[in-house]
Structures are given as C-alpha cells and as structure tokens.
Amino acid sequence: MHEWALAESVITTVVDEIRLNNIRKVTKVDVMVGELQQIDLEIFRFALENVMKTYELSLESKAIRIAIEKNILRCEVCGKIWSFGDAGCRLGEDEAEAIHFIPEIAHVYIRCPECSSPDFEIVKGRGVWIKTIEGER
Amino acid sequence: MDPRLHIIDKRLQDIKRIIAVSGGKGGTGKSSVASVLALTLAKNGYRTGLLDLDFGGPSAHIILGVEGLFPEEDKGLIPPDVSGIRFMSIIYFTGNNPAPLRGKEISNAIIELLAVTLWGELDFLIIDMPPGMADTTLDVIRLIRRMEFILVTTPSRLAIEVAKRELAVLQELHLPVLGLIENMLTTRQYTGVADKAAGRQVTSLGSIDFDSTLEHAIGNVDKLLQTKFAKQLSSYHPLK
C-alpha cells in the first residue's frame, strides 16, 4: 500500500479507537507492516506526522512504533519455503512497484524456486495491522 | 486490527450511489453492461467511476480500450480518466499477465485496492463484480456496504438458475436489488425472466437483444456507444 494511504488508515483507526474507548491520551501504537508492502519508513513516518495534523490528533511521534515482519512464502505444490529476498526473486522496478501497491501481485511475477509454480502462500510478511493501542482514559 | 478496513468507508464516502453489476454466471455480459452503463452515465453528465473487481478475468479495460495508463500517485492512487470515467482495475498492476490468486488472496488484493484508491466525489461508482457467490463476492458485499445490485442473465436456463440463486442470497442479506437485465436475446420473444423471478419480487429492467456488432466495437468507446446494445441499455437503465 502507498505510504500515505497506509498512514491515513492507521491514523483513522487510532481516531476511531479513541472515540470508541474514550481514550484521553494515546501512549503507544504498535504498527506491524509486512515486508512485501515494501514501504519507505521515512516517507511513512513523514506521512503519519502530516496525516495526524489533518485529523487534529496530537500524538508524540515516538509513541508510534513500526516493526517490519519478514516475509515467508510456501509453495502449495511442492512445499518449498523461501522468501522474497532470496536470490532469484530480483524484480524490475515496475514489478516491485506493483507489489508495493498490492502485495498479492507477487503471484504474477514470482515463481517457486523449486518447481516454478505460481501457487504459493504468503505465510508471513503481507499487510498492515495494528498490534496494540495503549492509552489513558 | 486491520487499519485498511477502517479507511474503506472513508474512501467511498463521497460517492452518492454504488451499483454492482452481478449475476452469478460467467459470460452473461456483466462486464459489457458495467462498462457501457458507466460510459452512458458519464456521457449524461454524471461523475462516474468504474471498478473492475473481476480479478480472475478482468475485461472492462479491453472493452474500453485502455492501454498504457497508470493511476496518478498523490497520497493514494487516483484512477485515470478513461472517456470521462474514473477507471480502476488490477490490470494496472498485472499488465497482461495472469494473476493466479486463491480466494483469500483475491480478497486481500481487493481490500488493498479499495483502501488505496482515491475516487473523490462521484455520482455513481459502477462495479463489475466477479462471477459466483464464493468468498470473494461475499467479501466485496461485506466491505462495500452501500451497494445496490443489478443482475445480468441471459435467456439460458443455466444462467437464469444461477442468477436466481444469487438473488436469493442478496435478498436474504436484505441488500437492495435494482432489478434484472436479460441480455443476449436471440429472438424477439419475451422469455419472461422477470416472471420467473417474480416469486422473489425483483423488477425486470428490460431485455437486450444479442448484438453482433458489439464484438467489433470492443476497444472503441465511440463505436460502443453507437451499438444497439448501448442504446437498449441506456433506455432501460434504472438510474434516470
């Protein structure tokens, strides 16, 4: 997902949680991002700061912690387990950008290094999720 | 907590009506109806978007003759303008390559696309739905809560039976069904799809004759709008 769209989705989720749970001050937000999203962390943090202002959310920047989850791919046909970063998974700029926007596009451009099947599972390392939101009421 | 699910409603909030063109069976002309309906609305001055969610067999881009376009990036993705329609499809990312995705992955890709697309203000968003009522379709129904449905069938009993089953599911879920379009009639004889579905209280939006000129107009918007198919569809559509 694009860094700005991702930042906006995270901030709207935090805003929704504040409202739902009557949180006065958010102290910690743990965001997990799958490696396949290939986000630029610097742009993402910049986007978070800016989107926060738009939503009138006052949150210390260090309160948002971002962790990247490494990707694991598993072939549904032969059972081979590998990762996007392995040799043989080098992609061109356009292909990498397509996967950046929609990680499932990996199935279009990546094949199992063992049996060449496109039928593999993204076991880990896709998507974005908020692991925890902590705050004071 | 998946933050993408929180942003989807916001991405769609400035769209007045969201119309899903569905019908269950493949090959009934859903993509042609969705594409030409979107063109007709745009031509009539409505701000219109078209979203091709048939990831297994995307074809709206072929019907509209889309080539060499990519969404503009500006804090999300802005769908390119195609003959007055804001058009979004997975083909911008797959190119002409097949996308061998399992159901769960199609759902994830749809969530991603809905979360990142900036439609802006629209009068209508037309959605070309995937065939069938499997997990992908159910996920789309879950994610896009304001959808109204147009079902497309052919006079074939095979298509009608599948459309009736989809209709039953939509009605059980209390989703608004604008009506049925009976496409590809090969005779002038009325086949009575609406009557057949009457037990389920669905409106017939009309019938469209089989139009042999449609195939030759694919990829050319001006020719498409001149087809009998387009003229019949524009006189029947329920959005006027």
Side-chain angles (χ1 to χ4, degrees):
Chain A
M1 192 197 277
H2 187 275
E3 284 84 356
W4 281 86
L6 174 59
E8 193 174 3
S9 68
V10 168
I11 296 302
T12 52
T13 306
V14 173
V15 169
D16 287 348
E17 286 300 310
I18 288 173
R19 196 177 55 239
L20 277 173
N21 297 296
N22 296 317
I23 296 171
R24 185 175 49 83
K25 185 186 176 192
V26 175
T27 52
K28 190 171 84 171
V29 180
D30 278 335
V31 181
M32 297 292 293
V33 182
E35 194 179 19
L36 278 179
Q37 306 285 144
Q38 301 177 88
I39 66 157
D40 183 318
L41 277 175
E42 203 175 319
I43 296 175
F44 184 44
R45 285 200 177 279
F46 178 73
L48 281 168
E49 296 282 338
N50 279 273
V51 174
M52 258 192 262
K53 287 176 199 162
T54 311
Y55 282 82
E56 296 176 350
L57 177 67
S58 176
L59 195 62
E60 287 180 33
S61 58
K62 65 179 182 186
I64 299 186
R65 301 193 308 190
I66 305 159
I68 304 291
E69 185 187 67
K70 291 279 181 191
N71 78 89
I72 297 175
L73 312 177
R74 183 178 61 213
C75 181
E76 299 277 9
V77 178
C78 72
K80 169 81 177 175
I81 293 172
W82 81 101
S83 99
F84 179 65
D86 288 352
C89 279
R90 301 281 175 260
L91 295 173
E93 200 176 313
D94 289 349
E95 289 84 359
E97 188 180 57
I99 296 172
H100 163 66
F101 285 118
I102 302 180
E104 280 66 33
I105 299 299
H107 291 271
V108 176
Y109 301 114
I110 296 176
R111 296 290 178 265
C112 170
E114 192 70 31
C115 72
S116 303
S117 172
D119 186 11
F120 57 84
E121 181 191 0
I122 302 172
V123 182
K124 282 189 171 181
R126 69 95 45 239
V128 178
W129 64 101
I130 297 178
K131 205 169 161 189
T132 41
I133 297 178
E134 288 180 10
E136 298 164 5
R137 291 190 182 185
Chain B
M1 232 181 292
D2 187 342
R4 298 174 306 167
L5 300 177
H6 283 253
I7 201 78
I8 289 175
D9 281 347
K10 182 178 160 55
R11 296 288 184 236
L12 302 172
Q13 71 184 3
D14 294 325
I15 302 171
K16 288 182 185 162
R17 292 180 72 182
I18 303 175
I19 313 281
V21 178
S22 190
K25 194 81 174 162
T28 58
K30 290 188 294 294
S31 297
S32 300
V33 168
S35 304
V36 173
L37 182 58
L39 282 173
T40 305
L41 288 166
K43 197 180 154 208
N44 283 299
Y46 294 107
R47 296 166 299 176
T48 305
L50 175 63
L51 172 61
D52 189 346
L53 285 185
D54 187 356
F55 284 10
S59 46
H61 65 291
I62 300 170
I63 296 167
L64 297 174
V66 175
E67 276 181 32
L69 294 177
F70 193 81
E72 183 191 335
E73 285 183 60
D74 185 9
K75 300 181 180 176
L77 292 179
I78 300 168
D81 183 292
V82 176
S83 302
I85 302 168
R86 291 174 217 172
F87 177 60
M88 185 54 105
S89 166
I90 196 170
I91 57 102
Y92 296 131
F93 311 99
T94 60
N96 291 321
N97 304 295
L101 303 176
R102 287 174 178 260
K104 185 180 145 198
E105 290 158 340
I106 293 178
S107 295
N108 251 324
I110 288 173
I111 291 171
E112 208 79 31
L113 198 60
L114 291 172
V116 79
T117 304
L118 307 177
W119 292 102
E121 290 186 4
L122 290 178
D123 296 308
F124 291 101
L125 175 63
I126 307 298
I127 301 180
D128 185 8
M129 292 286 283
M133 282 301 290
D135 45 358
T136 307
T137 303
L138 293 173
D139 275 330
V140 174
I141 289 170
R142 175 174 62 88
L143 293 165
I144 308 176
R145 284 176 277 195
R146 290 189 290 120
M147 280 198 298
E148 304 166 71
F149 287 79
I150 290 176
L151 302 184
V152 181
T153 182
T154 67
S156 163
R157 272 178 57 199
L158 305 180
I160 292 168
E161 287 303 319
V162 176
K164 279 165 74 176
R165 266 181 242 138
E166 178 172 350
L167 181 61
V169 174
L170 295 176
Q171 291 185 331
E172 190 180 340
L173 294 171
H174 303 291
L175 294 166
V177 179
L178 296 171
L180 268 168
I181 289 178
E182 192 177 17
N183 191 22
M184 300 188 204
L185 258 72
T186 49
T187 66
R188 296 211 170 271
Q189 196 174 15
Y190 175 61
T191 60
V193 165
D195 292 340
K196 286 174 185 151
R200 298 210 165 270
Q201 294 178 322
V202 65
T203 310
S204 170
L205 299 177
S207 303
I208 299 176
D209 296 332
F210 179 78
D211 182 354
S212 60
T213 66
L214 187 60
E215 183 67 24
H216 303 291
I218 282 174
N220 184 321
V221 166
D222 293 332
K223 279 188 182 173
L224 272 175
L225 288 170
Q226 290 306 312
T227 58
K228 189 177 174 188
F229 173 87
K231 285 172 183 164
Q232 285 188 316
L233 180 61
S234 64
S235 66
Y236 290 141
H237 81 68
L239 314 172
K240 288 185 173 175

